[in-house]
Amino acid sequence: MGKKTYWGIIIATIIINVVMLQWTVEAFLGREYDVLFTYNIISLISAGVALFSYFQWRKVEYTK
Amino acid sequence: MTCKKKLGRNQKDTNDDMINLVDNLNREDDLKYNRRAFLKTAVGTSVALGVATIPFSVKAMLGMEKDYERVEITKLADLPEGESVVFNYPTEKDPALLVHTVNGDLKAYNSACTHLMCPVFYEKEQDVLLCPCHAGYFDVNNGHPTAGPPQRELPLIEIEVDNGIVYAVGRQYRHG
């Protein structure tokens, strides 16, 4: 994948995580614990994808 | 050609705009604030946002609510229509409101406003629950917000009337 693809993925993960954090807080305040755990898992997967994309981007970016 | 006849930018030690075009560039800033640094910050932000959801799950796991106790609130005879009484349920830290509406129904909700936790009061004239802090209105029949800043309904206290005494027996957070 190209560098721009990694940029896109990382920006997308930020958007997902902002939404998930908002929904998590809402679910927590509403005591909707089942969906809260779902949002939490999605958020952590998204963070993992962001990290993985970053390492892949770094490999491409710093290769001569 | 004498110095005076030269264009401004060609004169000695000139401060002409067309000279020293790189003066506004700061090498340190250039190294610090660039495309790569931006992406690294973006990744950090994404991970931080992801990790920020963990405490909510941990707190949810630790604070799972157990079965509710049956707690006496008041005698029905002491609560005429159009009146309300304050009590605490399920713990002493959870203020609640039992309302005997003008229609004769008994309704009970936790009275902390879902906006900023101000206490909610029963307005007999309009038959609504009102949070005076920011003018939040709740429907007394279902606890859902009807006007103002609150977005979520008030937690519903399940009640039972037994031998003329009103008891609180449970609580629902999301209802209706």
Side-chain angles (χ1 to χ4, degrees):
Chain A
M1 281 193 282
K3 283 192 274 188
K4 281 187 179 166
T5 312
Y6 293 124
W7 272 79
I9 291 169
I10 288 163
I11 300 295
T13 63
I14 292 177
I15 294 166
I16 290 168
N17 280 351
V18 166
V19 174
M20 284 304 132
L21 183 58
Q22 160 71 8
W23 288 2
T24 302
V25 173
E26 282 290 321
F28 178 76
L29 293 174
R31 306 286 203 276
E32 296 169 297
Y33 293 152
D34 45 346
V35 287
L36 188 153
F37 294 130
T38 309
Y39 298 151
N40 191 358
I41 289 165
I42 293 171
S43 196
L44 290 175
I45 290 171
S46 177
V49 169
L51 263 183
F52 178 77
S53 300
Y54 166 65
F55 289 126
Q56 294 298 311
W57 167 84
R58 199 172 65 165
K59 209 185 280 180
V60 180
E61 175 77 8
Y62 292 98
T63 304
K64 279 189 180 178
Chain B
M1 191 185 278
T2 61
C3 195
K4 283 183 181 174
K5 285 181 183 172
K6 287 180 182 173
L7 289 169
R9 65 174 180 261
N10 293 330
Q11 289 178 4
K12 195 180 177 202
D13 299 329
T14 178
N15 284 321
D16 191 276
D17 285 347
M18 294 305 289
I19 302 295
N20 303 325
L21 290 175
V22 294
D23 276 0
N24 62 342
L25 294 180
N26 184 333
R27 186 175 160 76
E28 276 183 29
D29 281 355
D30 242 20
L31 291 171
K32 222 187 267 180
Y33 308 116
N34 53 31
R35 179 174 46 88
R36 289 172 172 172
F38 178 82
L39 189 79
K40 288 168 191 171
T41 309
V43 172
T45 305
S46 185
V47 172
L49 286 167
V51 171
T53 60
I54 293 175
F56 293 98
S57 288
V58 172
K59 194 140 191 238
M61 275 191 280
L62 294 176
M64 290 269 198
E65 288 180 347
K66 288 125 194 149
D67 290 339
Y68 293 101
E69 288 177 23
R70 189 173 196 251
V71 174
E72 180 182 334
I73 304 172
T74 185
K75 288 177 185 155
L76 191 55
D78 295 340
L79 190 68
E81 288 180 4
E83 294 295 320
S84 62
V85 64
V86 176
F87 63 103
N88 293 303
Y89 190 82
T91 70
E92 285 300 308
K93 292 177 184 170
D94 298 302
L97 193 67
L98 172 65
V99 180
H100 198 171
T101 66
V102 287
N103 300 326
D105 297 326
L106 283 171
K107 301 284 177 185
Y109 304 99
N110 276 126
S111 61
C113 178
T114 52
H115 175 223
L116 288 177
M117 310 294 279
C118 286
V120 169
F121 299 97
Y122 178 55
E123 277 281 310
K124 186 167 71 173
E125 290 76 17
Q126 301 174 63
D127 196 28
V128 292
L129 295 168
L130 165 67
C131 174
C133 289
H134 303 100
Y137 288 85
F138 297 88
D139 189 334
V140 74
N141 294 310
N142 54 27
H144 281 257
T146 53
Q151 298 292 309
R152 280 176 293 113
E153 66 269 39
L154 295 168
L156 173 77
I157 308 285
E158 294 166 332
I159 50 174
E160 252 178 33
V161 182
D162 194 2
N163 286 329
I165 298 172
V166 186
Y167 294 93
V169 293
R171 177 165 74 167
Q172 293 175 26
Y173 253 86
R174 283 280 158 104
H175 54 88

